[in-house]
Amino acid sequence: MSVLREVEIQIAIDTSTDTAGLALGQDGEVVAELSWLCGRHHSTQLLPNLSHLLNQTGLSLESADCIIVARGPGSYNGLRVGISTAKGLAFSLNIPIVGISTLEAEAYQHAATGLPVCPIFNAGREELATATYQKKGKEWRQLTEERLTTIDSLCSEITAKTVFCGEFVPSIADKLKEQLKQKAVLLSSAQGLRRAGFLAELGLKRFRAGDCDNTAGLQPFYFRGPAITKAKHR
């Protein structure tokens, strides 16, 4: 494990959904960031884009002090690519790894509103993956646990004006507005784009506090396993 240097460098990786993200942090500042719609091409696009960011900043893999990765929930294949890449880099560079909830990273970029923030991912089967977070003063905290729920159940729990974020929100925006009226704060597509820079900020806080994960033991978080179809008997 590397010793903290005067200048800290972090690599943040997020392949949780069809939108992928990378960020490079240096001495507490995000110096490069990239978000792109990759669909299911995480495995072919992640490392070339990381190489591009490193070239843009003049940094090298060997200079990194920490790897930060979004651990889910999210897509099965996307998370496998991100976690395995992050673990491979951490092992080869002999540096710590920090896994951050994708729901928390999604919410954290709206912390400055001071409102409760509710990230929503599509979990399939008419269910949502969600949690609620809020920043009060300097304290960022989780208000409700990560869980699966339905739109109706979620709306019944909302008692205050709340920011809703996540790629799936535009698909259910009308229903949120219908049930919650002015309590639902919905974002534009630009505001709602998940950015890896905020993932890097969350990870840096844990890294500086010495709260890192076990590299071998870190696993993607799924609410459900992959859908596997059994072969039909002939």
Side-chain angles (χ1 to χ4, degrees), residues 162-184:
T162 299
V163 176
F164 291 91
C165 58
E167 293 171 40
F168 191 59
V169 168
S171 302
I172 58 173
D174 289 344
K175 193 156 191 178
L176 291 172
K177 276 294 187 183
E178 177 186 344
Q179 295 199 34
L180 297 174
K181 305 294 191 293
Q182 299 303 314
K183 292 179 184 176

PDB file of all heavy atoms in Angstrom, residues 162-184:
ATOM      1  N   THR A 162     -38.430  17.340  -2.654  1.00  0.00           N
ATOM      2  CA  THR A 162     -37.332  16.394  -2.841  1.00  0.00           C
ATOM      3  C   THR A 162     -36.804  16.468  -4.267  1.00  0.00           C
ATOM      4  O   THR A 162     -37.583  16.568  -5.223  1.00  0.00           O
ATOM      5  CB  THR A 162     -37.814  14.951  -2.554  1.00  0.00           C
ATOM      6  OG1 THR A 162     -38.266  14.872  -1.192  1.00  0.00           O
ATOM      7  CG2 THR A 162     -36.704  13.939  -2.770  1.00  0.00           C
ATOM      8  N   VAL A 163     -35.491  16.416  -4.407  1.00  0.00           N
ATOM      9  CA  VAL A 163     -34.849  16.375  -5.715  1.00  0.00           C
ATOM     10  C   VAL A 163     -34.786  14.915  -6.170  1.00  0.00           C
ATOM     11  O   VAL A 163     -34.268  14.053  -5.448  1.00  0.00           O
ATOM     12  CB  VAL A 163     -33.421  16.957  -5.662  1.00  0.00           C
ATOM     13  CG1 VAL A 163     -32.740  16.810  -7.028  1.00  0.00           C
ATOM     14  CG2 VAL A 163     -33.456  18.415  -5.228  1.00  0.00           C
ATOM     15  N   PHE A 164     -35.290  14.642  -7.367  1.00  0.00           N
ATOM     16  CA  PHE A 164     -35.224  13.298  -7.938  1.00  0.00           C
ATOM     17  C   PHE A 164     -34.193  13.287  -9.058  1.00  0.00           C
ATOM     18  O   PHE A 164     -34.189  14.175  -9.927  1.00  0.00           O
ATOM     19  CB  PHE A 164     -36.596  12.873  -8.476  1.00  0.00           C
ATOM     20  CG  PHE A 164     -37.616  12.649  -7.395  1.00  0.00           C
ATOM     21  CD1 PHE A 164     -38.437  13.687  -6.986  1.00  0.00           C
ATOM     22  CD2 PHE A 164     -37.729  11.414  -6.772  1.00  0.00           C
ATOM     23  CE1 PHE A 164     -39.370  13.499  -5.971  1.00  0.00           C
ATOM     24  CE2 PHE A 164     -38.651  11.213  -5.764  1.00  0.00           C
ATOM     25  CZ  PHE A 164     -39.476  12.245  -5.359  1.00  0.00           C
ATOM     26  N   CYS A 165     -33.302  12.308  -9.035  1.00  0.00           N
ATOM     27  CA  CYS A 165     -32.234  12.254 -10.025  1.00  0.00           C
ATOM     28  C   CYS A 165     -32.002  10.814 -10.467  1.00  0.00           C
ATOM     29  O   CYS A 165     -32.390   9.868  -9.789  1.00  0.00           O
ATOM     30  CB  CYS A 165     -30.948  12.863  -9.468  1.00  0.00           C
ATOM     31  SG  CYS A 165     -30.348  12.076  -7.948  1.00  0.00           S
ATOM     32  N   GLY A 166     -31.334  10.676 -11.590  1.00  0.00           N
ATOM     33  CA  GLY A 166     -31.055   9.355 -12.143  1.00  0.00           C
ATOM     34  C   GLY A 166     -31.565   9.252 -13.569  1.00  0.00           C
ATOM     35  O   GLY A 166     -32.516   9.938 -13.962  1.00  0.00           O
ATOM     36  N   GLU A 167     -30.950   8.386 -14.355  1.00  0.00           N
ATOM     37  CA  GLU A 167     -31.290   8.237 -15.764  1.00  0.00           C
ATOM     38  C   GLU A 167     -32.753   7.855 -15.986  1.00  0.00           C
ATOM     39  O   GLU A 167     -33.342   8.168 -17.022  1.00  0.00           O
ATOM     40  CB  GLU A 167     -30.400   7.176 -16.408  1.00  0.00           C
ATOM     41  CG  GLU A 167     -28.943   7.547 -16.493  1.00  0.00           C
ATOM     42  CD  GLU A 167     -28.087   6.375 -16.940  1.00  0.00           C
ATOM     43  OE1 GLU A 167     -28.526   5.626 -17.834  1.00  0.00           O
ATOM     44  OE2 GLU A 167     -26.990   6.189 -16.388  1.00  0.00           O
ATOM     45  N   PHE A 168     -33.342   7.150 -15.022  1.00  0.00           N
ATOM     46  CA  PHE A 168     -34.696   6.634 -15.209  1.00  0.00           C
ATOM     47  C   PHE A 168     -35.768   7.668 -14.890  1.00  0.00           C
ATOM     48  O   PHE A 168     -36.931   7.496 -15.268  1.00  0.00           O
ATOM     49  CB  PHE A 168     -34.897   5.394 -14.330  1.00  0.00           C
ATOM     50  CG  PHE A 168     -36.158   4.622 -14.621  1.00  0.00           C
ATOM     51  CD1 PHE A 168     -36.390   4.104 -15.889  1.00  0.00           C
ATOM     52  CD2 PHE A 168     -37.108   4.412 -13.635  1.00  0.00           C
ATOM     53  CE1 PHE A 168     -37.547   3.397 -16.177  1.00  0.00           C
ATOM     54  CE2 PHE A 168     -38.270   3.697 -13.909  1.00  0.00           C
ATOM     55  CZ  PHE A 168     -38.489   3.188 -15.179  1.00  0.00           C
ATOM     56  N   VAL A 169     -35.402   8.749 -14.222  1.00  0.00           N
ATOM     57  CA  VAL A 169     -36.388   9.732 -13.772  1.00  0.00           C
ATOM     58  C   VAL A 169     -37.222  10.318 -14.922  1.00  0.00           C
ATOM     59  O   VAL A 169     -38.448  10.462 -14.788  1.00  0.00           O
ATOM     60  CB  VAL A 169     -35.720  10.845 -12.944  1.00  0.00           C
ATOM     61  CG1 VAL A 169     -36.678  12.016 -12.724  1.00  0.00           C
ATOM     62  CG2 VAL A 169     -35.257  10.290 -11.603  1.00  0.00           C
ATOM     63  N   PRO A 170     -36.629  10.678 -16.080  1.00  0.00           N
ATOM     64  CA  PRO A 170     -37.467  11.211 -17.164  1.00  0.00           C
ATOM     65  C   PRO A 170     -38.596  10.263 -17.574  1.00  0.00           C
ATOM     66  O   PRO A 170     -39.656  10.720 -18.016  1.00  0.00           O
ATOM     67  CB  PRO A 170     -36.468  11.420 -18.311  1.00  0.00           C
ATOM     68  CG  PRO A 170     -35.162  11.667 -17.615  1.00  0.00           C
ATOM     69  CD  PRO A 170     -35.185  10.753 -16.425  1.00  0.00           C
ATOM     70  N   SER A 171     -38.392   8.958 -17.407  1.00  0.00           N
ATOM     71  CA  SER A 171     -39.412   7.983 -17.795  1.00  0.00           C
ATOM     72  C   SER A 171     -40.608   7.979 -16.858  1.00  0.00           C
ATOM     73  O   SER A 171     -41.692   7.543 -17.233  1.00  0.00           O
ATOM     74  CB  SER A 171     -38.802   6.574 -17.833  1.00  0.00           C
ATOM     75  OG  SER A 171     -37.720   6.506 -18.729  1.00  0.00           O
ATOM     76  N   ILE A 172     -40.408   8.446 -15.632  1.00  0.00           N
ATOM     77  CA  ILE A 172     -41.496   8.441 -14.643  1.00  0.00           C
ATOM     78  C   ILE A 172     -41.824   9.853 -14.155  1.00  0.00           C
ATOM     79  O   ILE A 172     -42.531  10.025 -13.169  1.00  0.00           O
ATOM     80  CB  ILE A 172     -41.137   7.542 -13.439  1.00  0.00           C
ATOM     81  CG1 ILE A 172     -39.841   8.021 -12.775  1.00  0.00           C
ATOM     82  CG2 ILE A 172     -41.031   6.084 -13.864  1.00  0.00           C
ATOM     83  CD1 ILE A 172     -39.514   7.288 -11.483  1.00  0.00           C
ATOM     84  N   ALA A 173     -41.297  10.852 -14.852  1.00  0.00           N
ATOM     85  CA  ALA A 173     -41.467  12.241 -14.414  1.00  0.00           C
ATOM     86  C   ALA A 173     -42.935  12.636 -14.297  1.00  0.00           C
ATOM     87  O   ALA A 173     -43.334  13.301 -13.337  1.00  0.00           O
ATOM     88  CB  ALA A 173     -40.741  13.183 -15.380  1.00  0.00           C
ATOM     89  N   ASP A 174     -43.743  12.239 -15.272  1.00  0.00           N
ATOM     90  CA  ASP A 174     -45.159  12.616 -15.246  1.00  0.00           C
ATOM     91  C   ASP A 174     -45.859  12.039 -14.015  1.00  0.00           C
ATOM     92  O   ASP A 174     -46.676  12.724 -13.379  1.00  0.00           O
ATOM     93  CB  ASP A 174     -45.865  12.136 -16.517  1.00  0.00           C
ATOM     94  CG  ASP A 174     -45.440  12.918 -17.748  1.00  0.00           C
ATOM     95  OD1 ASP A 174     -44.853  14.008 -17.575  1.00  0.00           O
ATOM     96  OD2 ASP A 174     -45.674  12.432 -18.867  1.00  0.00           O
ATOM     97  N   LYS A 175     -45.531  10.809 -13.684  1.00  0.00           N
ATOM     98  CA  LYS A 175     -46.183  10.181 -12.533  1.00  0.00           C
ATOM     99  C   LYS A 175     -45.707  10.825 -11.230  1.00  0.00           C
ATOM    100  O   LYS A 175     -46.499  11.007 -10.298  1.00  0.00           O
ATOM    101  CB  LYS A 175     -45.897   8.685 -12.512  1.00  0.00           C
ATOM    102  CG  LYS A 175     -46.779   7.918 -11.541  1.00  0.00           C
ATOM    103  CD  LYS A 175     -46.918   6.473 -11.922  1.00  0.00           C
ATOM    104  CE  LYS A 175     -48.007   5.806 -11.089  1.00  0.00           C
ATOM    105  NZ  LYS A 175     -48.209   4.392 -11.467  1.00  0.00           N
ATOM    106  N   LEU A 176     -44.434  11.193 -11.157  1.00  0.00           N
ATOM    107  CA  LEU A 176     -43.930  11.876  -9.964  1.00  0.00           C
ATOM    108  C   LEU A 176     -44.623  13.224  -9.780  1.00  0.00           C
ATOM    109  O   LEU A 176     -45.035  13.576  -8.670  1.00  0.00           O
ATOM    110  CB  LEU A 176     -42.418  12.074 -10.068  1.00  0.00           C
ATOM    111  CG  LEU A 176     -41.540  10.820  -9.978  1.00  0.00           C
ATOM    112  CD1 LEU A 176     -40.086  11.157 -10.299  1.00  0.00           C
ATOM    113  CD2 LEU A 176     -41.640  10.182  -8.599  1.00  0.00           C
ATOM    114  N   LYS A 177     -44.751  13.970 -10.877  1.00  0.00           N
ATOM    115  CA  LYS A 177     -45.416  15.271 -10.810  1.00  0.00           C
ATOM    116  C   LYS A 177     -46.893  15.125 -10.450  1.00  0.00           C
ATOM    117  O   LYS A 177     -47.456  15.908  -9.687  1.00  0.00           O
ATOM    118  CB  LYS A 177     -45.282  16.005 -12.152  1.00  0.00           C
ATOM    119  CG  LYS A 177     -43.984  16.770 -12.312  1.00  0.00           C
ATOM    120  CD  LYS A 177     -43.915  17.940 -11.317  1.00  0.00           C
ATOM    121  CE  LYS A 177     -42.717  18.820 -11.573  1.00  0.00           C
ATOM    122  NZ  LYS A 177     -42.622  19.908 -10.554  1.00  0.00           N
ATOM    123  N   GLU A 178     -47.522  14.100 -11.023  1.00  0.00           N
ATOM    124  CA  GLU A 178     -48.949  13.882 -10.775  1.00  0.00           C
ATOM    125  C   GLU A 178     -49.220  13.589  -9.301  1.00  0.00           C
ATOM    126  O   GLU A 178     -50.171  14.115  -8.715  1.00  0.00           O
ATOM    127  CB  GLU A 178     -49.438  12.724 -11.640  1.00  0.00           C
ATOM    128  CG  GLU A 178     -50.896  12.347 -11.415  1.00  0.00           C
ATOM    129  CD  GLU A 178     -51.296  11.097 -12.185  1.00  0.00           C
ATOM    130  OE1 GLU A 178     -50.559  10.705 -13.119  1.00  0.00           O
ATOM    131  OE2 GLU A 178     -52.331  10.508 -11.842  1.00  0.00           O
ATOM    132  N   GLN A 179     -48.352  12.762  -8.697  1.00  0.00           N
ATOM    133  CA  GLN A 179     -48.608  12.350  -7.319  1.00  0.00           C
ATOM    134  C   GLN A 179     -48.034  13.315  -6.292  1.00  0.00           C
ATOM    135  O   GLN A 179     -48.580  13.464  -5.198  1.00  0.00           O
ATOM    136  CB  GLN A 179     -48.034  10.941  -7.088  1.00  0.00           C
ATOM    137  CG  GLN A 179     -48.718   9.860  -7.898  1.00  0.00           C
ATOM    138  CD  GLN A 179     -48.460   8.469  -7.339  1.00  0.00           C
ATOM    139  OE1 GLN A 179     -48.345   8.294  -6.135  1.00  0.00           O
ATOM    140  NE2 GLN A 179     -48.362   7.485  -8.217  1.00  0.00           N
ATOM    141  N   LEU A 180     -46.915  13.961  -6.621  1.00  0.00           N
ATOM    142  CA  LEU A 180     -46.221  14.778  -5.626  1.00  0.00           C
ATOM    143  C   LEU A 180     -46.376  16.273  -5.835  1.00  0.00           C
ATOM    144  O   LEU A 180     -46.002  17.057  -4.942  1.00  0.00           O
ATOM    145  CB  LEU A 180     -44.733  14.409  -5.616  1.00  0.00           C
ATOM    146  CG  LEU A 180     -44.415  12.977  -5.198  1.00  0.00           C
ATOM    147  CD1 LEU A 180     -42.925  12.702  -5.372  1.00  0.00           C
ATOM    148  CD2 LEU A 180     -44.834  12.720  -3.758  1.00  0.00           C
ATOM    149  N   LYS A 181     -46.886  16.663  -6.996  1.00  0.00           N
ATOM    150  CA  LYS A 181     -47.074  18.092  -7.297  1.00  0.00           C
ATOM    151  C   LYS A 181     -45.773  18.870  -7.062  1.00  0.00           C
ATOM    152  O   LYS A 181     -44.743  18.537  -7.619  1.00  0.00           O
ATOM    153  CB  LYS A 181     -48.210  18.664  -6.431  1.00  0.00           C
ATOM    154  CG  LYS A 181     -49.518  17.908  -6.565  1.00  0.00           C
ATOM    155  CD  LYS A 181     -50.097  18.046  -7.939  1.00  0.00           C
ATOM    156  CE  LYS A 181     -51.536  17.519  -8.032  1.00  0.00           C
ATOM    157  NZ  LYS A 181     -51.640  16.056  -7.847  1.00  0.00           N
ATOM    158  N   GLN A 182     -45.819  19.920  -6.239  1.00  0.00           N
ATOM    159  CA  GLN A 182     -44.659  20.788  -6.024  1.00  0.00           C
ATOM    160  C   GLN A 182     -43.563  20.152  -5.176  1.00  0.00           C
ATOM    161  O   GLN A 182     -42.464  20.715  -5.048  1.00  0.00           O
ATOM    162  CB  GLN A 182     -45.112  22.098  -5.366  1.00  0.00           C
ATOM    163  CG  GLN A 182     -46.099  22.896  -6.205  1.00  0.00           C
ATOM    164  CD  GLN A 182     -45.544  23.218  -7.581  1.00  0.00           C
ATOM    165  OE1 GLN A 182     -44.391  23.649  -7.709  1.00  0.00           O
ATOM    166  NE2 GLN A 182     -46.343  23.003  -8.612  1.00  0.00           N
ATOM    167  N   LYS A 183     -43.834  19.016  -4.593  1.00  0.00           N
ATOM    168  CA  LYS A 183     -42.807  18.338  -3.794  1.00  0.00           C
ATOM    169  C   LYS A 183     -41.733  17.694  -4.676  1.00  0.00           C
ATOM    170  O   LYS A 183     -40.632  17.399  -4.198  1.00  0.00           O
ATOM    171  CB  LYS A 183     -43.438  17.253  -2.911  1.00  0.00           C
ATOM    172  CG  LYS A 183     -44.336  17.783  -1.806  1.00  0.00           C
ATOM    173  CD  LYS A 183     -44.920  16.629  -1.013  1.00  0.00           C
ATOM    174  CE  LYS A 183     -45.908  17.122   0.037  1.00  0.00           C
ATOM    175  NZ  LYS A 183     -46.551  15.983   0.752  1.00  0.00           N
ATOM    176  N   ALA A 184     -42.058  17.471  -5.943  1.00  0.00           N
ATOM    177  CA  ALA A 184     -41.113  16.821  -6.853  1.00  0.00           C
ATOM    178  C   ALA A 184     -40.275  17.860  -7.586  1.00  0.00           C
ATOM    179  O   ALA A 184     -40.795  18.654  -8.365  1.00  0.00           O
ATOM    180  CB  ALA A 184     -41.858  15.949  -7.843  1.00  0.00           C
TER     181      ALA A 184
END
